[in-house]
Amino acid sequence: MPKTLEHPPTAIDVDHQEAEAKQALVDSLLKDRQIIMASNRGPVSFTQHADGRFTARQGSGGLVTAVSAVLQGHQATWIAAAMTDGDRERARQAEDAGETLITPDETESRFKLRFVVPTQEAYHDYYNVISNPLLWFLQHYLWDTPRSPDITHETWAAWREGYVPVNQMFADEIIIACEQFDREPVIMLQDYQLYLAGGMIRERRPNAIIQHFIHIPWPDPDYWRLLPKEMRTAICEGLLGCDIVGFQIPDHARSFMYTCEAYVPDCSIDYANKCVQWRGRTIQVRHYPISIDAEAVRRTAYSQEARAYERYLPTHWNEFTILRVDRAEPSKNIIRGFHAFDRFLEAHPEFQNRVNFIAVTQPSRMDVAEYRDYLDDTSATVGRINAKYANVETGWQPVQVIMGESYPRVLAAMKWYDVLLVNSIIDGMNLVAKEGALINERSGVIVLSEGAGAAMQLGNEALMVSPADVEGTAEAIYQALTMPIRERQRRARRLRHSVERDDVSIWFRDQLADIAEDAADHIGQAEPTGTQVA
Ligand code: GDG
């Protein structure tokens, strides 16, 4: 006899049943199927030492942090571009030895790595001309449009000799990797460097299962018009080669559908069911807010290495501490954050000498002039504010910059803030806000940009600011520093619970569950594999 419920199902029962159903879908999808992950930056980068030995170091950045965490539990092949001399040399040796896959670390990692090795010129064009200054800038609304960008013959050359061929190299490597498996693997492409790869794989492997997740915002079609028609259409069509295109939040998913409607002539959009019909196929357009691996973040935050940093970091703290943690990246709005701090000190001089603003900054994309200039401008702003307020008697300097790359140090610093400032102009998600919410020990307040994807989840408990609003951001800093402790505690508790509940495993599970469900017909047709067309 079926068991009768003693009470009607609660929201928790329903959540639990839904989670079990999704997990069952994922388990059946991956029972005898592998994952092929592809991203520009790999999970590790290699350094070769004088004795010829290689050491591997985990890469930084939001994508690698999140994807490495979810892949630990799976057998997967990760395809990435060789970015350093060490990577290139390691890839060359692997090829000479007939080693098809590199194991980054024999003991811990279950994924294997394959490098794509473009020439340095092609890589430069793909990464330093198209991906970062063009696509990243476009997708974060970073242009000063009366002056930039200029799309010139040089941009076109970089597109044709860099972006297109490097995407083709990724597609080729992925196809080779697919051929090793009996069942069609799940291909998961990551981000804006690989927009053309999905379409290129589809051409040669019509039954491939392809999902593409875009970590960064997707602007309105009007802004995409700044890219020549051939480029923007190629980007949309490349993505429409996939089965599912995923974004961080619904707004970005919707903008993508509008952009397809505007620039892909033969497609039709079903906004209600969130899909695009194109050339006889249906492409799902979804959103999956990315998060952090709460357990792993805590492990690192309380590791010996992090604790070692905790011994010297307190020299930076003051009675009140404001923290920001970012790559030296224009979209993170670092300079405007300092302007807001300057306004705050001006408007509330009683805080002078008692508050420190610590910026943990990681130099990024230094081969791109805009990034070098931005870092220079950041340093100049810090110098100006310190010169304006420094107290020669007490030795107080209001702004301190900790430069370099160390994930344990970042997490160690996050334990201590009273205010975490995340004022990005626009941000796909922003993992720093979630890490801070999880591990801060002082019931610190998060001042969060309305433009960060994280606002969707954390917006109720953070103090929200409009990214260009210097005055409003200064005021939010003041409000945070003067907030009664009970309110700080209440907000901090809710933020922490929210991040604990929706961690990165859900981001990953939901994508795979959708692949299992929405691509079910298509997976049925895909067995057995190897139906090559060209
Ligand atoms: C992109 C999107 C989206 C590690 N070492 C250092 C360092 N880290 C870690 C941080 C954080 C991550 O890097 C940075 O992630 P964010 O999400 O804040 O930013 P992006 O790198 O721009 O990531 C973003 C993300 O992809 C995932 O989808 O959330 O919107 O732009 O985990 O702890 N950070 C710093 N120094 C280090 O040495 N500053």
Side-chain angles (χ1 to χ4, degrees):
M1 249 194 35
K3 207 172 145 199
T4 46
L5 277 175
E6 282 163 15
H7 55 80
T10 62
I12 294 175
D13 294 333
V14 172
D15 280 358
H16 189 69
Q17 284 163 8
E18 203 182 306
E20 279 187 345
K22 283 186 177 175
Q23 194 53 51
L25 278 170
V26 175
D27 292 345
S28 71
L29 179 76
L30 297 183
K31 193 159 42 84
D32 44 11
R33 215 181 283 278
Q34 297 264 337
I35 294 173
I36 299 179
M37 185 64 70
S39 62
N40 171 61
R41 187 181 293 273
V44 291
S45 78
F46 288 92
T47 306
Q48 190 173 26
H49 300 279
D51 61 2
R53 224 172 20 91
F54 287 95
T55 47
R57 186 157 191 264
Q58 176 168 340
S60 66
L63 185 155
V64 166
T65 312
V67 177
S68 301
V70 287
L71 276 194
Q72 285 301 335
H74 297 274
Q75 302 279 354
T77 302
W78 193 326
I79 296 175
M83 293 181 76
T84 63
D85 289 344
D87 292 347
R88 280 185 280 276
E89 189 51 28
R90 182 68 186 84
R92 197 186 58 74
Q93 287 194 10
E95 198 179 332
D96 288 353
E99 215 184 326
T100 47
L101 294 168
I102 300 166
T103 308
D105 174 335
E106 301 293 342
T107 50
E108 281 183 24
S109 307
R110 291 180 67 197
F111 51 82
K112 309 263 181 177
L113 188 58
R114 262 180 103 94
F115 276 127
V116 166
V117 192
T119 62
Q120 295 211 28
E121 295 74 28
Y123 189 79
H124 172 83
D125 285 348
Y126 144 90
Y127 191 67
N128 294 325
V129 182
I130 302 297
S131 297
N132 291 329
L134 199 67
L135 297 177
W136 177 280
F137 267 56
L138 182 141
Q139 292 193 239
H140 290 85
Y141 296 93
L142 289 178
W143 285 322
D144 175 11
T145 47
R147 291 180 189 80
S148 69
D150 281 347
I151 311 275
T152 63
H153 66 284
E154 286 166 2
T155 325
W156 277 110
W159 173 263
R160 295 202 178 103
E161 288 155 34
Y163 196 76
V164 176
V166 174
N167 268 261
Q168 188 65 61
M169 289 177 85
F170 266 93
D172 294 347
E173 279 298 334
I174 291 166
I175 290 166
I176 293 169
C178 286
E179 283 161 1
Q180 294 169 3
F181 303 120
D182 294 335
R183 299 198 77 189
E184 203 62 49
V186 176
I187 301 167
M188 302 183 84
L189 306 172
Q190 306 296 315
D191 235 355
Y192 58 99
Q193 299 91 349
L194 303 183
Y195 283 149
L196 309 182
M200 291 165 166
I201 298 167
R202 180 70 62 206
E203 258 177 43
R204 302 246 306 275
R205 211 169 168 91
N207 293 325
I209 303 165
I210 317 173
Q211 197 258 16
H212 197 133
F213 183 78
I214 293 157
H215 293 250
I216 63 176
W218 190 278
D220 299 333
D222 281 347
Y223 207 63
W224 277 100
R225 196 176 296 109
L226 292 168
L227 272 199
K229 197 170 178 181
E230 190 185 324
M231 282 186 199
R232 60 184 191 246
T233 303
I235 287 171
C236 291
E237 291 187 353
L239 286 168
L240 294 179
C242 303
D243 298 293
I244 303 182
V245 184
F247 295 87
Q248 303 270 22
I249 59 171
D251 284 0
H252 303 159
R254 211 173 311 114
S255 285
F256 173 68
M257 290 189 277
Y258 290 140
T259 310
C260 289
E261 186 170 30
Y263 304 129
V264 180
D266 44 353
C267 77
S268 70
I269 316 289
D270 179 346
Y271 287 101
N273 291 308
K274 302 186 184 77
C275 59
V276 181
Q277 308 280 348
W278 187 60
R279 301 193 178 162
R281 294 174 41 257
T282 301
I283 298 95
Q284 311 288 336
V285 183
R286 299 289 166 87
H287 71 275
Y288 309 96
I290 202 165
S291 193
I292 55 172
D293 176 345
E295 213 184 297
V297 168
R298 280 206 175 103
R299 237 186 351 259
T300 310
Y302 292 93
S303 64
Q304 273 197 351
E305 211 181 337
R307 290 202 182 278
Y309 285 113
E310 280 176 52
R311 280 199 286 278
Y312 91 84
L313 280 171
T315 57
H316 295 285
W317 310 149
N318 201 336
E319 183 184 341
F320 301 101
T321 303
I322 303 169
L323 178 74
R324 71 171 309 132
V325 173
D326 350 57
R327 291 184 293 104
E329 159 63 60
S331 66
K332 304 291 180 187
N333 210 12
I334 301 172
I335 294 177
R336 227 185 246 109
F338 289 139
H339 289 163
F341 181 57
D342 181 3
R343 263 307 289 148
F344 159 76
L345 288 176
E346 237 169 42
H348 303 284
E350 68 278 15
F351 277 92
Q352 291 182 22
N353 289 300
R354 298 166 61 202
V355 59
N356 284 5
F357 188 150
I358 315 298
V360 183
T361 307
Q362 183 188 3
S364 175
R365 305 176 186 169
M366 285 293 122
D367 292 329
V368 179
E370 285 84 347
Y371 283 78
R372 288 194 301 273
D373 293 348
Y374 190 72
L375 189 56
D376 288 348
D377 293 348
T378 306
S379 306
T381 308
V382 171
R384 192 183 52 72
I385 295 175
N386 279 342
K388 180 169 169 188
Y389 296 100
N391 184 325
V392 276
E393 279 162 31
T394 59
W396 179 65
Q397 292 235 334
V399 184
Q400 299 178 24
V401 179
I402 301 176
M403 190 79 76
E405 185 185 330
S406 162
Y407 189 48
R409 180 172 64 187
V410 159
L411 297 183
M414 283 182 186
K415 290 184 195 167
W416 200 260
Y417 65 77
D418 296 292
V419 177
L420 179 67
L421 179 58
V422 178
N423 63 323
S424 324
I425 292 167
I426 188 165
D427 215 329
M429 179 54 58
N430 196 288
L431 296 180
V432 166
K434 295 193 173 182
E435 288 160 343
L438 183 76
I439 60 172
N440 178 260
E441 293 177 353
R442 288 169 62 84
S443 301
V445 179
I446 301 182
V447 173
L448 182 61
S449 165
E450 291 167 9
M456 198 173 81
Q457 185 184 346
L458 309 181
N460 284 343
E461 307 304 333
L463 299 182
M464 300 305 294
V465 292
S466 162
D469 184 2
V470 172
E471 208 59 43
T473 307
E475 206 36 49
I477 292 173
Y478 178 72
Q479 198 191 330
L481 289 179
T482 52
M483 188 180 281
I485 185 66
R486 292 190 81 102
E487 188 181 346
R488 274 175 66 152
Q489 286 166 341
R490 183 179 55 75
R491 286 175 186 258
R493 198 171 43 245
R494 291 191 182 162
L495 286 170
R496 191 173 58 250
H497 288 166
S498 161
V499 173
E500 280 167 342
R501 193 188 52 232
D502 286 330
D503 95 345
V504 73
S505 59
I506 294 184
W507 170 75
F508 197 55
R509 181 203 67 193
D510 286 358
Q511 290 177 75
L512 290 168
D514 281 354
I515 293 171
E517 200 168 32
D518 298 325
D521 301 344
H522 160 94
I523 289 171
Q525 296 161 21
E527 315 296 357
T529 60
T531 36
Q532 309 298 307
V533 158

